Amino acid sequence: MENEEDFDVRWAALRQDIKKQFGKKPDLNAILFLVGVQELGQGIREFTKEEKQDLMHIATCKLLSLSGYYELEGLDQEGWPHWKSVKPLPACNLKEQERMLKWHALEYFDEMNS
C-alpha cells in the first residue's frame, strides 16, 4: 500500500500533466469530467449541464470498475455507456471516497499511458 506522501506526489503530477494539456490545473471533478469525455468517445464539444453530470457518473463507474465495483452493461442508441453495480462500495466518509476516486483516476491514467 502506498503511503500518503507518495500518493500526494502522484496526484500532483497527474494534475500538472493535465494542466500542461489544458492550461488549467484540474480538481477531482474536472478530472472526472475528462475521464467521462474520454469514455464517451465522441470528442470535445459543448455539453449540457445534465450531460456533464452524466459524464461524471460515467467516469465514476469506469474508475470504480477497475476494482470490480461496476461493470459495463453496454451503450445506448446515442453511444452513451451504461454501467451496473456488481458489488457494494465499502462504507467510507467523504474524504475516503475522494481518495478512492483519486487512486482509481491515477490507475486509469497509468493504464492509458502504458
Side-chain angles (χ1 to χ4, degrees):
M1 181 88 177
E2 112 185 283
N3 67 37
E4 278 303 310
E5 192 176 318
D6 291 343
F7 177 82
D8 290 342
V9 167
R10 285 178 63 214
W11 181 250
L14 173 62
R15 292 179 68 209
Q16 193 59 41
D17 286 348
I18 292 172
K19 181 183 178 186
K20 285 178 195 164
Q21 288 181 299
F22 295 97
K24 206 169 149 188
K25 193 179 264 190
D27 61 6
L28 178 58
N29 285 336
I31 289 174
L32 288 173
F33 177 75
L34 287 174
V35 171
V37 170
Q38 177 70 31
E39 289 303 309
L40 180 60
Q42 296 179 359
I44 306 266
R45 62 175 173 83
E46 286 293 315
F47 292 98
T48 66
K49 186 176 179 180
E50 186 179 317
E51 286 175 328
K52 287 176 183 176
Q53 290 173 329
D54 291 344
L55 287 168
M56 291 176 75
H57 176 72
I58 288 167
T60 300
C61 292
K62 171 60 182 179
L63 295 180
L64 294 175
S65 76
L66 300 176
S67 290
Y69 293 107
Y70 285 87
E71 203 173 84
L72 182 62
E73 277 189 304
L75 304 177
D76 67 18
Q77 291 177 332
E78 294 166 2
W80 287 69
H82 289 269
W83 298 83
K84 67 178 179 181
S85 174
V86 289
K87 73 178 182 182
L89 289 165
C92 54
N93 65 35
L94 198 56
K95 186 174 179 171
E96 292 165 334
Q97 286 176 13
E98 187 175 285
R99 190 182 195 289
M100 187 163 79
L101 280 173
K102 286 178 178 180
W103 184 84
H104 283 89
L106 289 166
E107 295 299 303
Y108 176 85
F109 283 99
D110 284 352
E111 239 178 57
M112 280 188 61
N113 295 327
S114 61

